[in-house]
């Protein structure tokens, strides 16, 4: 007899230290995606946000030492150092067998998560959270809650800068979902080229629930919910509004790349971008720059955290799926 999904998640989480600020699960093991007929065969992906990574890894090594690569011999302090110092600040243990399922779990410090949600330092975990996820546990933390909300607002403002005057709901959610894949080298080798479409199309209702209040409160957009299309004025004043509400790292990258960087004042540069003719393309390039840097760093770190054998298995599985669906 099959057990309920919630019971399965409860059993899996019981294997880990419980001092976590937030736990969520995502991906094709949780939400239906096109091309995945049997979700029960898909790997389950989890992310654990913890206040003290070193302490958490120390306790987890007592319980689940086999989950770790050779880095376990360096001790929890060094594992925590590698987690925080390199890539996107997250440490993954992958291809782990737990409760008759294959799982992958990433550990990130709560502080690093909040910073990425606010500023898009890496657009890695914050990008995961642009899409519907299933939150299994979250402490009552005002700063974390505010950061989660701000991250969704940032995704909406960025997407609107990339979209034309009229577009469909599906196009909006495709644009939002595609942000964290823009510039990711794994989309060239290892990922299904239709990944974004496969995520969005079966989950339009989940996306609507996630973004409905934010779209309703955005005065620069008209949403025809009956016919599922939206309209905006792509004029400089509207673009300036969105640009001023972008996360810090994206604004910094825009200013650095802008042709208007001769201006000394950041507000003048942002205004110059809004009134320039290449605002959408510049925003797209800057998002890609952030994603590219973090995806390369995180993938390189994955060879250490997963070990060579698991890395090869995981990569070959990705390539095999890409070829089958191409």
């Amino acid at each position: 007899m099959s057990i309920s999904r919630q019971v399965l998640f409860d059993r899996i989480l019981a294997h880990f230290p419980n001092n976590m600020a937030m736990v969520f699960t995502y991906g094709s093991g949780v939400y239906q995606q096109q091309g995945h007929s049997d979700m029960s065969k898909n790997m389950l992906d989890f992310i654990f946000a913890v206040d003290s990574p070193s302490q958490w890894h120390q306790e987890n090594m007592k319980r689940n030492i086999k989950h770790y690569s050779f880095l376990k011999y360096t001790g929890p302090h060094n594992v925590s150092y590698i987690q925080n110092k390199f890539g996107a600040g997250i440490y993954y243990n992958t291809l782990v067998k737990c409760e008759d399922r294959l799982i992958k779990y990433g550990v990130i410090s709560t502080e690093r998560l909040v910073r990425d949600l606010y500023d898009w330092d890496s657009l890695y975990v914050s990008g995961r959270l642009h899409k519907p996820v299933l939150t299994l546990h979250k402490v009552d933390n005002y700063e974390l809650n505010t950061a989660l909300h701000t991250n969704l607002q940032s995704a909406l403002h960025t997407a609107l800068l990339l979209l034309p005057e009229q577009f469909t709901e599906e196009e909006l959610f495709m644009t939002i979902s595609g942000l964290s894949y823009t510039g990711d080298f794994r989309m060239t080798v290892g990922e299904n080229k239709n990944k974004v479409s496969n995520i969005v199309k079966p989950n339009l209702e989940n996306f609507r629930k996630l973004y409905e209040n934010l779209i309703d409160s955005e005065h620069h957009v008209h949403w025809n919910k009956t016919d599922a299309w939206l309209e905006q004025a792509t004029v400089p004043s509207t673009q300036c509004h969105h640009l001023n509400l972008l996360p810090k790292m994206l604004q910094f990258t825009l200013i650095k790349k802008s042709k208007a960087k001769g201006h000394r004042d950041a507000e003048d540069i942002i205004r110059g971008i809004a009134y320039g003719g290449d605002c959408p393309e510049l925003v797209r390039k800057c998002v890609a720059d952030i994603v590219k840097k973090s995806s390369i760093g995180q993938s390189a770190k994955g060879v250490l955290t997963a070990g060579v054998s698991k890395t090869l298995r995981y990569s070959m599985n990705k390539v095999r799926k890409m070829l089958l669906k191409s």
Side-chain angles (χ1 to χ4, degrees), residues 252-267:
F252 174 80
T253 310
L254 280 165
I255 290 169
K256 188 177 177 182
K257 275 188 172 290
S258 172
K259 294 176 182 177
K261 61 186 175 185
H263 299 283
R264 292 186 177 182
D265 186 80
E267 289 185 10

Side-chain angles (χ1 to χ4, degrees), residues 164-183:
E165 288 190 351
Q166 288 191 337
F167 49 94
T168 64
E169 285 181 6
E170 185 176 306
E171 288 171 331
L172 171 63
F173 300 138
M174 289 271 286
T175 303
I176 289 174
S177 296
L179 292 174
S180 60
Y181 297 114
T182 305

Side-chain angles (χ1 to χ4, degrees), residues 186-212:
R186 294 171 299 179
M187 294 302 291
T188 305
V189 179
E191 287 289 3
N192 184 356
K193 302 298 186 297
N194 299 315
K195 186 176 181 71
V196 174
S197 175
N198 292 344
I199 291 172
V200 173
K201 287 186 176 181
N203 291 289
L204 283 171
E205 188 56 38
N206 290 320
F207 275 96
R208 288 190 196 103
K209 290 177 182 177
L210 187 60
Y211 284 97
E212 183 172 18

Side-chain angles (χ1 to χ4, degrees), residues 12 14-15 54 76 114 218 222-223 233 248 256 258 264 294 305:
I12 289 173
H15 288 262
S54 182
V114 167
E218 178 50 61
H222 169 69
W223 186 8
K248 187 186 297 182
K256 188 177 177 182
S258 172
R264 292 186 177 182
S294 64
T305 60

Side-chain angles (χ1 to χ4, degrees), residues 53-231:
S54 182
Q55 182 181 347
W56 193 90
H57 283 297
Q58 182 177 28
E59 179 60 33
N60 195 45
M61 284 181 178
K62 292 177 182 177
R63 300 186 184 200
N64 303 302
I65 191 67
K66 292 182 179 179
H67 293 182
Y68 291 81
S69 69
F70 68 93
L71 290 178
K72 62 191 171 209
Y73 299 114
T74 68
H77 177 75
N78 287 319
V79 165
S80 178
Y81 176 81
I82 291 169
Q83 171 187 313
N84 293 316
K85 187 69 175 177
F86 303 104
I90 187 167
Y91 188 103
Y92 275 106
N93 284 326
T94 189
L95 297 177
V96 172
K97 289 185 179 180
C98 186
E99 294 294 329
D100 296 323
R101 291 294 296 268
L102 207 58
I103 73 168
K104 176 179 75 175
Y105 62 94
V107 184
I108 187 171
S109 74
T110 310
E111 179 185 9
R112 184 68 177 264
L113 172 60
V114 167
R115 191 164 77 240
D116 193 34
L117 291 169
Y118 274 129
D119 299 337
W120 286 11
D121 279 358
S122 67
L123 198 47
Y124 199 86
V125 179
S126 58
R128 299 283 187 275
L129 287 160
H130 290 166
K131 299 168 274 290
V133 302
L134 181 61
T135 302
L136 302 175
H137 168 75
K138 183 161 65 69
V139 297
D140 188 13
N141 182 311
Y142 174 79
E143 187 173 33
L144 177 57
N145 290 337
T146 304
L148 289 164
H149 181 76
T150 300
N151 181 49
L152 295 177
Q153 286 181 316
S154 296
L156 179 60
H157 288 300
T158 305
L160 291 173
L161 285 166
L162 301 176
L163 288 161
E165 288 190 351
Q166 288 191 337
F167 49 94
T168 64
E169 285 181 6
E170 185 176 306
E171 288 171 331
L172 171 63
F173 300 138
M174 289 271 286
T175 303
I176 289 174
S177 296
L179 292 174
S180 60
Y181 297 114
T182 305
D184 190 336
F185 78 98
R186 294 171 299 179
M187 294 302 291
T188 305
V189 179
E191 287 289 3
N192 184 356
K193 302 298 186 297
N194 299 315
K195 186 176 181 71
V196 174
S197 175
N198 292 344
I199 291 172
V200 173
K201 287 186 176 181
N203 291 289
L204 283 171
E205 188 56 38
N206 290 320
F207 275 96
R208 288 190 196 103
K209 290 177 182 177
L210 187 60
Y211 284 97
E212 183 172 18
N213 291 338
L214 291 173
I215 299 171
D216 284 341
S217 62
E218 178 50 61
H219 301 303
H220 295 79
V221 178
H222 169 69
W223 186 8
N224 184 324
K225 296 182 182 181
T226 303
D227 296 326
W229 60 266
L230 300 93
E231 187 174 22

Side-chain angles (χ1 to χ4, degrees), residues 153-154 156-161 214-221 232-247 250-251 254 267 269-275 279 283:
Q153 286 181 316
S154 296
L156 179 60
H157 288 300
T158 305
L160 291 173
L161 285 166
L214 291 173
I215 299 171
D216 284 341
S217 62
E218 178 50 61
H219 301 303
H220 295 79
V221 178
Q232 65 172 343
T234 55
V235 295
S237 59
T238 300
Q239 291 183 323
C240 197
H241 162 76
H242 295 310
L243 287 166
N244 279 309
L245 292 171
L246 296 180
L250 184 50
Q251 282 188 341
L254 280 165
E267 289 185 10
I269 298 175
I270 291 294
R271 193 177 299 112
I273 294 170
Y275 281 84
C279 179
V283 170

